[in-house]
Amino acid sequence: MLLAVRILLSWGGKVESFCSALRGKMRAIIDEIIDFFSWLRLFLKNKKCKIPKPCQENVVIVGNGPSAASFPYKLYEEKNYKFCCVNYAAEDQSFFFSLRPKYYCLIDPLMYNSDERQKEKNIKLFKILESVDWEMNIICYKNTMPQFNNEKINFCYINNNTFRGKITSFKNRLYLNNQANSGFQNVIIAAIYFFIISKVDQIILTGIDMDFFKDCYVDENNNLYETTRHFYGEYKLDFSKLRLVNRGEIYFYFYSLYKTFLDFSRIAELGEKNGVRIVNTCLQSFVDSFEKKDSKNLIKRYEKRNEKY
């Protein structure tokens, strides 16, 4: 009798483990189906985007984090690396007009915010971009940017059809054909995506500290604030006023962070799958999805061996 009880208990544990694993697989299948139909709705609704022309370049994506201030831009410029700035980097006009980036990625949701101060900030940014006097490509969603009165500016469109989840061969084809993306929770991810499907040789990252959450706090009225530090300055974000996070919903803020780091992981996988090396030169960055190298040592090794590192 005792032996029978032991056998039943043993089998009960195995059955429970099997059922738990089965539930996990079923959940994954259901999520994949939901993601597919969500993507399909967006694909049918949104404007189609062309596949970017292949460009065998080495690119430096300049994030707006504090670490971008110490990056050796001149060393990389001498080796013919092309630069890509993002969002509001042009506000530092001295830096922007000195760097003269070939690419500029603009997908910040604040650009479509109805707050009056934010609108003024956007108008100021667009005026700066209108004064660009070199050939520059703006990476953005289709029909979301004003048409600048500047013949030097060219628009490169990326799709807004999110299709998250495990990167299968089917999804990979959609991504490379600019018909789907693995998630753009952060502008840097969108820029990386564009350069992967443009078939660049190598992507170098700077200014992606991603530690802004260390400076967020909630006041006595449950309003969420964040002190955002960039290489060109800092400012305080009032999430409640900008209607980014409602009072009592701080969980949404941290859920967005979860999605951000998950999207970084996915884009790293996409780069590896398609033979594009991505190097993070911000050694203290919270983004742990890419290999990390010191920016000066990286370019010195390039000089010694005259090949990609």
Side-chain angles (χ1 to χ4, degrees):
M1 183 66 180
L2 184 59
L3 179 61
V5 171
R6 286 178 178 175
I7 292 173
L8 286 173
L9 288 173
S10 174
W11 274 101
K14 291 179 181 179
V15 169
E16 185 178 350
S17 297
F18 172 78
C19 290
S20 178
L22 184 62
R23 282 195 298 270
K25 288 183 178 180
M26 289 299 294
R27 181 71 256 179
I29 292 171
I30 292 169
D31 287 345
E32 194 71 17
I33 292 171
I34 292 171
D35 286 343
F36 171 77
F37 282 105
S38 176
W39 164 78
L40 185 61
R41 180 182 62 83
L42 292 170
F43 177 73
L44 295 173
K45 173 186 174 184
N46 293 336
K47 299 279 186 180
K48 305 301 180 287
C49 300
K50 294 180 180 179
I51 304 171
K53 293 179 180 178
C55 57
Q56 292 184 322
E57 296 178 326
N58 291 315
V59 179
V60 177
I61 300 176
V62 184
N64 293 334
S67 64
S70 58
F71 187 82
Y73 296 97
K74 286 295 181 184
L75 292 178
Y76 282 80
E77 185 180 7
E78 289 168 2
K79 296 304 171 186
N80 204 32
Y81 278 75
K82 307 303 179 186
F83 298 102
C84 174
C85 290
V86 299
N87 289 342
Y88 292 93
E91 285 186 348
D92 186 337
Q93 296 187 51
S94 175
F95 168 81
F96 178 66
F97 285 98
S98 172
L99 188 65
R100 297 169 70 87
K102 182 177 178 180
Y103 301 96
Y104 203 114
C105 190
L106 286 168
I107 64 161
D108 195 320
L110 287 176
M111 290 176 183
Y112 318 109
N113 196 282
S114 58
D115 180 72
E116 286 302 317
R117 284 192 301 176
Q118 193 61 45
K119 283 182 179 178
E120 290 176 10
K121 187 176 180 180
N122 294 338
I123 291 170
K124 179 183 175 183
L125 173 68
F126 296 149
K127 284 183 178 178
I128 294 170
L129 294 179
E130 279 200 331
S131 62
V132 164
D133 60 359
W134 65 91
E135 299 290 334
M136 191 175 77
N137 302 286
I138 290 183
I139 305 163
C140 62
Y141 300 135
K142 206 161 191 174
N143 299 330
T144 58
M145 287 289 107
Q147 293 301 308
F148 298 112
N149 185 25
N150 187 338
E151 61 183 14
K152 297 289 186 181
I153 289 179
N154 176 55
F155 286 91
C156 302
Y157 299 114
I158 51 176
N159 74 86
N160 194 15
N161 311 323
T162 303
F163 194 177
R164 286 188 170 92
K166 183 180 178 181
I167 300 179
T168 60
S169 57
F170 170 66
K171 285 183 189 173
N172 193 53
R173 285 196 301 273
L174 292 177
Y175 296 155
L176 295 181
N177 287 327
N178 205 5
Q179 296 174 331
N181 67 71
S182 56
F184 295 156
Q185 195 68 20
N186 183 276
V187 64
I188 297 296
I189 302 167
I192 293 172
Y193 168 77
F194 173 79
F195 292 118
I196 289 175
I197 67 174
S198 298
K199 297 180 170 33
V200 299
D201 290 333
Q202 182 176 225
I203 300 171
I204 306 298
L205 305 173
T206 183
I208 61 163
D209 306 62
M210 294 299 294
D211 60 356
F212 42 81
F213 53 87
K214 296 193 297 184
D215 295 307
C216 73
Y217 66 94
V218 178
D219 69 9
E220 67 277 8
N221 296 313
N222 285 331
N223 294 306
L224 176 65
Y225 298 90
E226 176 189 282
T227 301
T228 303
R229 291 183 170 84
H230 295 314
F231 69 88
Y232 50 82
E234 64 179 63
Y235 59 91
K236 186 165 76 171
L237 273 177
D238 182 340
F239 283 86
S240 300
K241 186 173 182 180
L242 293 172
R243 287 176 244 169
L244 298 174
V245 177
N246 296 324
R247 291 177 183 174
E249 294 183 358
I250 194 171
Y251 62 84
F252 184 79
Y253 174 83
F254 287 103
Y255 177 64
S256 295
L257 282 179
Y258 160 77
K259 288 173 67 178
T260 298
F261 288 105
L262 180 60
D263 284 355
F264 269 116
S265 176
R266 293 296 189 208
I267 204 69
E269 184 183 349
L270 184 66
E272 184 177 357
K273 189 179 285 287
N274 291 284
V276 178
R277 191 185 185 201
I278 306 170
V279 182
N280 184 3
T281 62
C282 179
L283 302 183
Q284 277 71 53
S285 168
F286 274 81
V287 179
D288 60 355
S289 304
F290 314 108
E291 62 174 310
K292 290 182 178 179
K293 298 287 183 183
D294 177 79
S295 57
K296 290 180 180 177
N297 290 339
L298 188 67
I299 200 68
K300 285 176 183 176
R301 293 177 69 187
Y302 179 98
E303 291 171 349
K304 287 180 181 178
R305 302 190 187 183
N306 194 29
E307 60 182 37
K308 300 197 301 287
Y309 276 89

